[in-house]
Amino acid sequence: MSGSLSLYLSMASFALVASITPGPVNILVLGTSVKYGFQPALRPVFGATAGFCLLLLLIGLGLHQLLTQIPEISLFIKWAGVAFLGYLAIKLAIDSGKINTDRGAKAPSILTGATLQWLNPKAWMASVAGMGAFIADGDPVLIWQFVALYFVICFASVSCWAGAGAFLRRYLHNDILVRRFNRCMAALLLASALYLLLH
Protein backbone atom coordinates (compact mmCIF):
# COMPACT_ATOMS: atom_id res chain seq x y z
CA MET A 1 0.00 0.00 0.00
CA SER A 2 2.79 2.43 0.94
CA GLY A 3 4.48 1.60 -2.38
CA SER A 4 1.31 2.57 -4.29
CA LEU A 5 0.95 5.79 -2.29
CA SER A 6 4.57 6.67 -3.01
CA LEU A 7 4.00 6.05 -6.73
CA TYR A 8 0.87 8.24 -6.83
CA LEU A 9 2.64 11.03 -4.92
CA SER A 10 5.52 10.87 -7.41
CA MET A 11 3.08 11.01 -10.32
CA ALA A 12 1.29 13.97 -8.73
CA SER A 13 4.58 15.83 -8.16
CA PHE A 14 5.61 15.25 -11.77
CA ALA A 15 2.22 16.49 -13.03
CA LEU A 16 2.34 19.58 -10.80
CA VAL A 17 5.84 20.63 -11.84
CA ALA A 18 5.15 20.02 -15.54
CA SER A 19 1.81 21.87 -15.45
CA ILE A 20 2.36 24.91 -13.25
CA THR A 21 5.76 26.07 -14.50
CA PRO A 22 5.77 28.82 -17.16
CA GLY A 23 5.25 27.72 -20.74
CA PRO A 24 3.31 28.67 -23.87
CA VAL A 25 -0.05 27.41 -22.59
CA ASN A 26 0.23 29.23 -19.26
CA ILE A 27 1.29 32.45 -21.02
CA LEU A 28 -1.72 32.19 -23.36
CA VAL A 29 -4.08 31.59 -20.43
CA LEU A 30 -2.63 34.49 -18.44
CA GLY A 31 -3.07 36.88 -21.38
CA THR A 32 -6.58 35.58 -22.10
CA SER A 33 -7.67 36.11 -18.50
CA VAL A 34 -6.33 39.68 -18.46
CA LYS A 35 -8.23 40.54 -21.65
CA TYR A 36 -11.47 38.56 -21.25
CA GLY A 37 -11.70 37.60 -17.58
CA PHE A 38 -11.40 34.38 -15.60
CA GLN A 39 -14.37 32.44 -16.97
CA PRO A 40 -13.55 32.78 -20.69
CA ALA A 41 -9.94 31.78 -19.91
CA LEU A 42 -11.22 28.45 -18.62
CA ARG A 43 -11.94 27.43 -22.24
CA PRO A 44 -8.25 27.23 -23.25
CA VAL A 45 -7.48 25.85 -19.75
CA PHE A 46 -9.85 22.93 -20.36
CA GLY A 47 -8.65 22.50 -23.94
CA ALA A 48 -5.00 22.41 -22.92
CA THR A 49 -5.72 19.96 -20.10
CA ALA A 50 -7.83 17.63 -22.24
CA GLY A 51 -5.42 17.90 -25.17
CA PHE A 52 -2.42 17.04 -23.04
CA CYS A 53 -4.16 14.17 -21.27
CA LEU A 54 -5.24 12.66 -24.61
CA LEU A 55 -1.63 12.93 -25.78
CA LEU A 56 -0.41 11.35 -22.53
CA LEU A 57 -2.89 8.49 -22.92
CA LEU A 58 -1.90 7.81 -26.54
CA ILE A 59 1.80 7.89 -25.65
CA GLY A 60 1.10 5.40 -22.87
CA LEU A 61 -0.75 3.16 -25.33
CA GLY A 62 2.18 3.10 -27.76
CA LEU A 63 2.21 6.28 -29.87
CA HIS A 64 5.84 6.95 -28.86
CA GLN A 65 6.86 3.89 -30.92
CA LEU A 66 5.53 5.63 -34.03
CA LEU A 67 7.69 8.68 -33.25
CA THR A 68 10.74 6.44 -32.95
CA GLN A 69 10.01 4.75 -36.29
CA ILE A 70 9.18 7.99 -38.16
CA PRO A 71 11.36 10.83 -36.78
CA GLU A 72 9.97 13.20 -39.44
CA ILE A 73 6.77 13.42 -37.35
CA SER A 74 8.74 15.00 -34.48
CA LEU A 75 10.30 17.49 -36.89
CA PHE A 76 6.86 18.43 -38.27
CA ILE A 77 5.49 18.93 -34.74
CA LYS A 78 8.45 21.15 -33.89
CA TRP A 79 8.03 23.45 -36.92
CA ALA A 80 4.23 23.54 -36.66
CA GLY A 81 4.58 24.43 -32.97
CA VAL A 82 7.01 27.25 -33.75
CA ALA A 83 4.65 28.60 -36.44
CA PHE A 84 1.61 28.43 -34.12
CA LEU A 85 3.47 30.19 -31.30
CA GLY A 86 4.57 32.86 -33.76
CA TYR A 87 0.98 33.34 -34.91
CA LEU A 88 -0.27 33.70 -31.31
CA ALA A 89 2.58 36.11 -30.48
CA ILE A 90 1.73 38.33 -33.47
CA LYS A 91 -1.95 38.38 -32.47
CA LEU A 92 -0.99 39.49 -28.96
CA ALA A 93 1.54 42.07 -30.17
CA ILE A 94 -0.95 43.84 -32.46
CA ASP A 95 -3.89 43.62 -30.03
CA SER A 96 -5.55 46.97 -29.27
CA GLY A 97 -5.23 46.43 -25.53
CA LYS A 98 -8.91 47.06 -24.93
CA ILE A 99 -10.17 45.11 -21.91
CA ASN A 100 -13.19 43.17 -23.09
CA THR A 101 -16.31 43.31 -20.92
CA ASP A 102 -18.59 41.62 -23.45
CA ARG A 103 -19.39 38.14 -22.15
CA GLY A 104 -19.91 36.86 -25.69
CA ALA A 105 -16.51 38.11 -26.86
CA LYS A 106 -14.28 35.78 -28.86
CA ALA A 107 -11.69 34.51 -26.38
CA PRO A 108 -9.35 31.66 -27.38
CA SER A 109 -11.30 28.42 -27.69
CA ILE A 110 -11.00 24.94 -26.20
CA LEU A 111 -9.50 23.89 -29.53
CA THR A 112 -6.80 26.59 -29.31
CA GLY A 113 -5.65 25.24 -25.94
CA ALA A 114 -5.64 21.64 -27.19
CA THR A 115 -3.83 22.55 -30.42
CA LEU A 116 -1.14 24.42 -28.52
CA GLN A 117 -0.44 21.29 -26.47
CA TRP A 118 -0.32 18.99 -29.50
CA LEU A 119 2.07 21.35 -31.33
CA ASN A 120 4.31 21.80 -28.30
CA PRO A 121 7.30 19.41 -28.41
CA LYS A 122 7.75 20.00 -24.66
CA ALA A 123 4.32 18.41 -24.09
CA TRP A 124 5.35 15.39 -26.17
CA MET A 125 8.61 15.07 -24.21
CA ALA A 126 6.77 15.39 -20.88
CA SER A 127 4.32 12.68 -21.97
CA VAL A 128 7.09 10.30 -23.01
CA ALA A 129 9.13 11.05 -19.86
CA GLY A 130 6.11 10.63 -17.57
CA MET A 131 4.99 7.35 -19.08
CA GLY A 132 8.57 6.06 -19.21
CA ALA A 133 9.20 6.94 -15.58
CA PHE A 134 6.00 5.63 -14.02
CA ILE A 135 4.49 3.04 -16.38
CA ALA A 136 7.43 1.35 -18.06
CA ASP A 137 5.59 -1.99 -18.08
CA GLY A 138 2.59 -0.52 -19.95
CA ASP A 139 -0.01 -1.53 -17.32
CA PRO A 140 -3.27 -0.15 -18.85
CA VAL A 141 -4.95 0.39 -15.45
CA LEU A 142 -2.00 2.44 -14.22
CA ILE A 143 -1.94 4.40 -17.50
CA TRP A 144 -5.57 5.45 -17.00
CA GLN A 145 -4.94 6.29 -13.33
CA PHE A 146 -1.97 8.48 -14.28
CA VAL A 147 -4.01 10.27 -16.96
CA ALA A 148 -6.92 10.89 -14.52
CA LEU A 149 -4.56 12.20 -11.83
CA TYR A 150 -2.79 14.38 -14.39
CA PHE A 151 -6.09 15.84 -15.62
CA VAL A 152 -7.07 17.09 -12.14
CA ILE A 153 -3.62 18.53 -11.36
CA CYS A 154 -3.11 20.07 -14.81
CA PHE A 155 -6.54 21.75 -14.81
CA ALA A 156 -5.97 23.18 -11.32
CA SER A 157 -2.42 24.33 -12.15
CA VAL A 158 -3.27 26.08 -15.42
CA SER A 159 -6.36 27.60 -13.76
CA CYS A 160 -3.98 29.29 -11.31
CA TRP A 161 -2.57 31.23 -14.28
CA ALA A 162 -6.12 32.25 -15.24
CA GLY A 163 -6.60 33.41 -11.65
CA ALA A 164 -3.39 35.44 -11.83
CA GLY A 165 -4.61 37.07 -15.04
CA ALA A 166 -7.97 37.92 -13.45
CA PHE A 167 -6.09 39.52 -10.52
CA LEU A 168 -3.90 41.59 -12.87
CA ARG A 169 -6.99 42.63 -14.84
CA ARG A 170 -8.09 44.76 -11.87
CA TYR A 171 -4.92 46.86 -12.07
CA LEU A 172 -4.56 47.27 -15.82
CA HIS A 173 -7.02 50.13 -16.14
CA ASN A 174 -6.16 51.53 -19.56
CA ASP A 175 -5.40 50.37 -23.07
CA ILE A 176 -1.75 51.45 -22.92
CA LEU A 177 -0.98 49.26 -19.89
CA VAL A 178 -2.76 46.29 -21.45
CA ARG A 179 -0.90 46.77 -24.75
CA ARG A 180 2.41 46.76 -22.87
CA PHE A 181 1.36 43.65 -20.98
CA ASN A 182 0.31 41.95 -24.23
CA ARG A 183 3.64 42.77 -25.86
CA CYS A 184 5.48 41.26 -22.88
CA MET A 185 3.37 38.10 -23.29
CA ALA A 186 4.07 38.12 -27.05
CA ALA A 187 7.81 38.36 -26.33
CA LEU A 188 7.55 35.37 -23.97
CA LEU A 189 5.72 33.34 -26.62
CA LEU A 190 8.42 34.23 -29.17
CA ALA A 191 11.06 33.21 -26.62
CA SER A 192 9.26 29.86 -26.28
CA ALA A 193 9.30 29.48 -30.07
CA LEU A 194 13.02 30.28 -30.15
CA TYR A 195 13.65 27.73 -27.42
CA LEU A 196 11.87 25.09 -29.52
CA LEU A 197 13.99 25.97 -32.53
CA LEU A 198 17.23 25.59 -30.59
CA HIS A 199 16.37 22.31 -28.85
Side-chain angles (χ1 to χ4, degrees), residues 14-36:
F14 177 86
L16 179 64
V17 170
S19 302
I20 207 163
T21 49
V25 168
N26 293 335
I27 293 165
L28 172 72
V29 166
L30 180 67
T32 300
S33 188
V34 166
K35 184 169 175 65
Y36 298 99

Side-chain angles (χ1 to χ4, degrees), residues 32-142:
T32 300
S33 188
V34 166
K35 184 169 175 65
Y36 298 99
F38 180 76
Q39 227 172 338
L42 290 180
R43 291 200 290 267
V45 169
F46 178 79
T49 304
F52 181 84
C53 287
L54 177 60
L55 177 61
L56 184 67
L57 176 64
L58 293 176
I59 291 289
L61 296 176
L63 182 61
H64 65 283
Q65 293 169 356
L66 183 64
L67 296 178
T68 305
Q69 292 168 2
I70 311 172
E72 291 81 9
I73 294 175
S74 297
L75 192 61
F76 170 78
I77 292 165
K78 179 178 181 175
W79 282 104
V82 167
F84 193 58
L85 285 174
Y87 164 74
L88 292 174
I90 289 167
K91 277 188 72 174
L92 265 176
I94 63 174
D95 186 80
S96 67
K98 189 170 179 60
I99 294 281
N100 210 307
T101 54
D102 177 11
R103 289 187 178 274
K106 192 87 172 157
S109 65
I110 289 172
L111 185 60
T112 301
T115 301
L116 189 51
Q117 288 288 38
W118 274 73
L119 294 179
N120 182 1
K122 184 182 170 188
W124 287 78
M125 287 186 290
S127 298
V128 171
M131 283 298 171
F134 301 114
I135 304 140
D137 63 352
D139 178 358
V141 174
L142 202 52

